[in-house]
Amino acid sequence: MDSTLTRSRLVRWYIAICAIFLASGLSISTWASRVPAIRESLGIENAGVGQLLLGMGVASIIGLTVAPAVIARVGARRGMLIALLLVAVGLFIIGFGSDTLQLYGVALVGLALFGFGNGAVDVMMNVEGAALEKATGRTVMPLLHAFFSFGTVIGAGIGFLAVRGGLPVFAHSLAMAIVIAVVAFVAIANVPSREIAMDAPPAEQRAHWRERLGTSLAAWREPRTYTLGVIMLGMAFAEGSANDWLPSAVVFGHGAPEEAGPAVLAVFSVAMTAGRLLGGPVVDRFGRVWVLRILAVTAAAGLLLFIVAPFGPLVYLGAALWGLGASLGFPIGMSAAADDPAKAASRVAAAATIGYVAFLCGPPILGWIGDHIGLLNTLLIVVGLIVASGLFSGAAKPLVVAEPEAERAARRD
């Protein structure tokens, strides 16, 4: 444990980062739960919703890309506050533009701010999570990502109640925007100062913005970025394909009744959340590489069972193994990307970008292929990507970072 932190301060930091992960998940499910109502208010079809999603996705990738430069300028602590406030403002504008004004352009602006803020905070909160791992000497990233999942579940539940109670989109989005802003201010007050939180040194903070941006893009010139990227890509496809296509594969692929789709998805989600809740100590005991290999085998076997088994208990078992196996790839990839504190921000941004691209581009690609060969056959592609993820798991081996001379001298004294 870092000697500069008292136990109570460390606990407050831990809770604060969990709250930030939860707030990010809460914001995303708040928007997702009201998409049908927003579509109706704006009078658009699927193509119009697709354009809104595209605008949000592009803004998210921009946020991921510039986040390291923002960290270098203002630090992860203040950067997270700014990003979460942008998320809250974006959520407010989405509700106001779609529900009150009923203007497509205003809703699109809100989604751009919302996407940019979530993309940026994704990098920053993972950098902070990596700093927390360094301070505690324990793997905590899986638990942090479990809190993101909790946020999505809570947001979906609130969205269900809002729809059931006839709450207007604007009132719902305004309430959630206020909650996210309050969480941001309270949480950031409990995040340690820049000396502890792996922020950039003063010289880098004073650098010209072009230099900071160049530093933030440096990770893309490192081979390890791409080997870690294979891990992230495979597991992002494993998770994203389930979220988007699992219910359809159950109903249209297996010929099951409609209510079976969300039931199997719930089994997958519970298994994934359980894996993230319990994964930290397992990673500390057996190491990242072996855990990734075992989970890749688990996910591939579960998905294959889901594909080939007739509908019944084996399909549910396959979904559970699929969810458990896919649970730790993304958080372990983030931990591995942040091994070197001096380059954590740019490497986390690069890893997160690969994951985001898989989440954004994967579902439409799988849908297009599924129209030609069927959804169950299409999921065999995901099995191949999971296997590739397992084969490249050695890239997650912890880096041995040279200790700065000043720190070695201080320790000797």
Side-chain angles (χ1 to χ4, degrees):
M1 185 182 297
D2 194 318
S3 60
T4 60
L5 287 169
T6 63
R7 180 172 179 78
S8 64
R9 208 171 161 214
L10 185 65
V11 169
R12 291 200 305 272
W13 184 14
Y14 203 152
I15 294 172
I17 303 305
C18 287
I20 291 169
F21 271 82
L22 187 143
S24 180
L26 176 65
S27 72
I28 289 172
S29 57
T30 296
W31 141 255
S33 68
R34 301 313 300 260
V35 168
I38 290 171
R39 171 181 164 171
E40 186 176 345
S41 294
L42 294 175
I44 58 177
E45 300 297 331
N46 286 336
V49 175
Q51 290 174 358
L52 289 176
L53 292 171
L54 178 63
M56 181 177 69
V58 170
S60 296
I61 291 174
I62 294 172
L64 289 166
T65 304
V66 305
V70 174
I71 292 175
R73 183 68 183 90
V74 302
R77 186 170 178 268
R78 282 188 288 176
M80 285 190 296
L81 176 61
I82 295 168
L84 280 176
L85 291 180
L86 283 176
V87 170
V89 171
L91 202 55
F92 165 80
I93 294 174
I94 292 168
F96 186 63
S98 62
D99 192 26
T100 305
L101 299 180
Q102 296 185 341
L103 292 174
Y104 184 89
V106 176
L108 182 59
V109 170
L111 272 165
L113 287 174
F114 178 83
F116 180 90
N118 259 315
V121 82
D122 190 278
V123 173
M124 297 170 188
M125 66 189 185
N126 277 289
V127 168
E128 280 288 328
L132 191 56
E133 288 188 331
K134 302 270 184 230
T136 60
R138 297 175 182 173
T139 300
V140 301
M141 202 72 84
L143 182 60
L144 297 178
H145 283 258
F147 270 88
F148 177 88
S149 299
F150 290 153
T152 62
V153 172
I154 293 170
I158 294 173
F160 170 80
L161 294 175
V163 173
R164 190 73 177 268
L167 187 68
V169 173
F170 177 59
H172 181 195
S173 62
L174 174 61
M176 292 298 98
I178 292 171
V179 168
I180 290 166
V182 170
V183 169
F185 279 109
V186 173
I188 296 304
N190 290 284
V191 174
S193 58
R194 66 175 66 251
E195 296 84 19
I196 298 168
M198 294 205 309
D199 288 341
E204 190 172 331
Q205 295 166 28
R206 293 191 297 269
H208 191 276
W209 70 268
R210 287 193 185 90
E211 296 176 25
R212 292 197 300 271
L213 186 59
T215 300
S216 72
L217 297 175
W220 293 103
R221 297 191 292 270
E222 300 173 353
R224 187 171 182 260
T225 296
Y226 297 96
T227 50
L228 281 176
V230 174
I231 299 173
M232 304 291 284
L233 184 71
M235 290 307 180
F237 260 91
E239 182 177 353
S241 62
N243 292 333
D244 290 293
W245 295 115
L246 190 152
S248 296
V250 170
V251 175
F252 300 111
H254 285 292
E258 186 174 349
E259 61 270 18
V264 179
L265 179 60
V267 170
F268 173 91
S269 300
V270 168
M272 171 167 276
T273 303
R276 287 179 171 173
L277 283 172
L278 304 174
V282 176
V283 174
D284 289 336
R285 175 69 178 84
F286 297 103
R288 294 175 188 164
V289 175
W290 276 107
V291 169
L292 283 173
R293 287 172 179 166
I294 292 169
L295 290 184
V297 171
T298 303
L303 183 48
L304 280 173
L305 181 61
F306 173 86
I307 293 169
V308 303
F311 181 72
L314 289 179
V315 167
Y316 284 89
L317 176 60
L321 294 174
W322 178 6
L324 180 63
S327 63
L328 298 182
F330 206 89
I332 289 177
M334 289 295 193
S335 291
D339 273 340
D340 183 356
K343 299 179 180 179
S346 61
R347 288 173 174 170
V348 167
T353 299
I354 294 171
Y356 262 71
V357 169
F359 277 120
L360 293 169
C361 300
I365 292 172
L366 293 176
W368 180 81
I369 297 173
D371 285 341
H372 293 79
I373 64 174
L375 274 176
L376 291 179
N377 289 331
T378 299
L379 290 175
L380 290 171
I381 298 171
V382 181
V383 174
L385 291 171
I386 293 171
V387 170
S389 177
L391 292 174
F392 279 81
S393 59
K397 184 178 179 180
L399 289 177
V400 178
V401 181
E403 186 180 17
E405 179 59 36
E407 292 185 15
R408 284 200 300 270
R411 249 187 335 104
R412 286 197 300 267
D413 295 341

